[in-house]
Amino acid sequence: QPSPPFRCPSSNLTTTHPWSQVAPRVHLTAEIVSEDGRPHLREGRGATLRVRLLRNHVRPGHAAGPAHAPLCPLVGGVEEAWWIVLRLPTCGGADGHAPAICQRVTGAARELEVEISFELPAAGSYACTVQAICEAYAGVDVARGLALKVRGG
């Protein structure tokens, strides 16, 4: 006998509907540039990861409010913060773990921009991943692949 169709109790709809209106839908863009303005990235030199998060759920000219957390007792609500993580998986350290560069980003603006400085790894081509991990909500994280070509000294 087939199982009956799923029915969502009306009590659940009242708690999910407000969240669906404010749930983060973000677009992530990222690039890595040389800190000294030179056209090529060279091993051992500084570089900057430039990341832009665009909140598609926030209309132009508006800002995001606190996270939808109706059971949280904090006055003013829970801040919607993001962790920007750059992973360089093919240049793991001696312990075998891939190095990661992280920074926490906050703000209510429709667009969030961050620059993270770091030292370039040894010469080679790397398949990196840039992630935006949401601190307030599970399941809304975004990631993008990023090619990194580092030249010798």
Side-chain angles (χ1 to χ4, degrees), residues 60-124:
H62 290 80
H68 180 72
L71 301 179
C72 180
L74 294 177
V75 175
V78 175
E79 180 178 50
E80 184 186 298
W82 295 84
W83 284 91
I84 305 301
V85 180
L86 171 64
R87 296 185 189 276
L88 302 164
T90 57
C91 61
D95 60 1
H97 292 95
I101 294 110
C102 309
Q103 185 169 324
R104 186 174 188 261
V105 180
T106 60
R110 182 170 192 256
E111 289 183 41
L112 296 175
E113 294 184 0
V114 64
E115 292 189 353
I116 304 170
S117 296
F118 66 100
E119 186 177 315
L120 289 164

Side-chain angles (χ1 to χ4, degrees), residues 10 14 17 22 34 36 44 50 53-54 62 65 74 80 94 115 118 121-122 128 139 147 149:
S10 60
T14 59
H17 178 68
V22 297
S34 173
D36 59 13
R50 291 182 182 157
L53 278 179
L54 174 64
H62 290 80
L74 294 177
E80 184 186 298
E115 292 189 353
F118 66 100
C128 306
K149 183 172 178 145

Side-chain angles (χ1 to χ4, degrees), residues 4-145:
F6 176 75
R7 303 263 189 246
C8 184
S10 60
S11 60
N12 287 0
L13 288 175
T14 59
T15 58
T16 57
H17 178 68
W19 181 84
S20 67
Q21 292 178 343
V22 297
R25 291 180 300 280
V26 298
H27 178 74
L28 169 73
T29 57
E31 67 175 338
I32 297 175
V33 296
S34 173
E35 278 189 345
D36 59 13
R38 295 184 182 175
H40 302 292
L41 301 171
R42 302 243 181 235
E43 66 183 348
R45 293 197 180 149
T48 301
L49 170 66
R50 291 182 182 157
V51 176
R52 180 177 168 260
L53 278 179
L54 174 64
R55 289 178 166 122
N56 291 319
H57 64 290
V58 176
R59 290 181 291 160
H62 290 80
H68 180 72
L71 301 179
C72 180
L74 294 177
V75 175
V78 175
E79 180 178 50
E80 184 186 298
W82 295 84
W83 284 91
I84 305 301
V85 180
L86 171 64
R87 296 185 189 276
L88 302 164
T90 57
C91 61
D95 60 1
H97 292 95
I101 294 110
C102 309
Q103 185 169 324
R104 186 174 188 261
V105 180
T106 60
R110 182 170 192 256
E111 289 183 41
L112 296 175
E113 294 184 0
V114 64
E115 292 189 353
I116 304 170
S117 296
F118 66 100
E119 186 177 315
L120 289 164
S125 294
Y126 301 95
C128 306
T129 304
V130 178
Q131 295 175 286
I133 301 170
C134 187
E135 200 175 86
Y137 299 113
V140 298
D141 305 341
V142 292
R144 296 285 177 264

